[in-house]
Amino acid sequence: MKLSLPENQKLRFLRWFDFRSWRVGMLAYILNRVTAIGLVVYLYLHLVVLSILTGGPTQWDPFVALARSPFFLALDVILLAGILIHGLNGVRVTLTGVGVGVGAQKTLFAALMLVGAVLLLAGAWKIFMG
Amino acid sequence: MQNPKRSTLGWFWQAVTGALLLLLLGVHFIAHHFIAAGGLRDFNQVIAYLGNPIIIALELAFLVAVTIHAMLGARSILFDLGLSAQWERRVTRGLTVVGVITVLYGIWLIYAILGANSAVAFWAR
């Protein structure tokens, strides 16, 4: 089967990898897409991991002990970073989509990423320090 | 080429489920990673947590919202490849099937987890 890819539309996807177009708007767009792909992969990994629960405590509890190790906690911090970047960027996209802050998109993006950085630091502290 | 009306509808549902997820994912993440001692519940704590019907309703709402959001997002990314109208329809249908299977799997998983607990309780008697 043949995929029809008109030249002008092919470029739309390839622009993700063109560093010359990485201005704030494009960076926000790429971050949103990259975190989206990561979160979808995580969603299915999460659902597969949760299936261990069907084996009862003999299977789940040893996994929990492993998941409390620093390596897995670091993965939790990466997950939180992905959620915050994607979620806050999504807030910006929705706001500008309904006409709020259209003229201040870059400022809005910077402010939301700053909020995200603060929440990430607080979350990482909570994840590692309990 | 993407139908503009469908594209707007997709964007609308993406925004609605995104707003819901801010709330539901927040509850999910805080309940599982910040409130549970050690950052994750052991089996008995999971069963106690799922013993509350409100929690099951919230988790199911979370699953439905995250699946719709993820499938619409995947659709949007795939459409960025510049697919023909025929392939766009195939992608939409394919992702709809994947989404339905995902939700059904999640429902089965909750049922199976609670079932596993019944089996453990039965053998512990």
Side-chain angles (χ1 to χ4, degrees):
Chain A
M1 270 175 276
K2 185 175 170 290
L3 283 173
S4 164
L5 292 171
E7 285 303 318
N8 60 335
Q9 290 191 23
K10 271 184 196 171
L11 295 176
R12 222 168 28 169
F13 175 69
L14 293 176
R15 277 181 62 203
W16 289 23
F17 306 102
D18 183 357
F19 291 84
R20 292 166 303 176
S21 67
W22 280 26
R23 295 190 178 86
V24 177
M26 194 61 185
L27 182 69
Y29 176 83
I30 292 167
L31 272 176
N32 214 31
R33 294 287 162 123
V34 170
T35 52
I37 292 167
L39 290 171
V40 170
V41 170
Y42 174 77
L43 170 67
Y44 284 95
L45 271 178
H46 193 53
L47 286 171
V48 169
V49 164
L50 286 178
S51 68
I52 300 172
L53 273 163
T54 59
T58 50
Q59 288 183 28
W60 178 253
D61 290 348
F63 168 74
V64 169
L66 178 72
R68 284 174 179 164
S69 66
F71 174 74
F72 276 86
L73 294 181
L75 292 181
D76 266 356
V77 174
I78 293 172
L79 170 66
L80 182 61
I83 290 171
L84 286 169
I85 291 169
H86 190 79
L88 292 170
N89 212 359
V91 170
R92 179 190 63 84
V93 172
T94 307
L95 285 175
T96 53
V98 293
V100 177
V102 178
Q105 284 207 52
K106 289 178 186 174
T107 313
L108 192 57
F109 175 68
L112 286 168
M113 288 304 107
L114 190 65
V115 170
V118 172
L119 290 174
L120 180 64
L121 284 175
W125 181 82
K126 180 69 183 155
I127 286 169
F128 274 101
M129 303 302 172
Chain B
M1 192 64 175
Q2 202 172 350
N3 180 338
K5 212 172 182 180
R6 276 193 185 173
S7 170
T8 307
L9 198 63
W11 184 90
F12 171 77
W13 283 111
Q14 189 85 2
V16 168
T17 52
L20 268 173
L21 282 175
L22 284 180
L23 178 73
L24 295 169
L25 183 61
V27 169
H28 183 85
F29 208 86
I30 289 168
H32 288 285
H33 296 280
F34 291 162
I35 292 179
L40 210 56
R41 293 168 197 277
D42 63 25
F43 187 79
N44 290 330
Q45 288 170 327
V46 170
I47 296 301
Y49 181 72
L50 289 178
N52 185 340
I54 295 170
I55 295 294
I56 292 185
L58 280 174
E59 292 289 344
L60 285 177
F62 170 63
L63 177 68
V64 171
V66 81
T67 304
I68 293 172
H69 194 80
M71 293 305 111
L72 284 171
R75 179 175 170 264
S76 175
I77 289 172
L78 287 170
F79 280 12
D80 258 5
L81 296 170
L83 306 176
S84 65
Q86 189 188 23
W87 268 96
E88 286 189 350
R89 280 193 298 274
R90 285 177 183 162
V91 163
T92 302
R93 278 198 292 267
L95 289 172
T96 304
V97 171
V98 172
V100 169
I101 291 171
T102 303
V103 172
L104 290 176
Y105 170 77
I107 293 168
W108 169 81
L109 196 56
I110 291 177
Y111 179 77
I113 291 166
L114 294 174
N117 178 55
S118 306
V120 168
F122 176 80
W123 289 111
R125 267 191 283 173

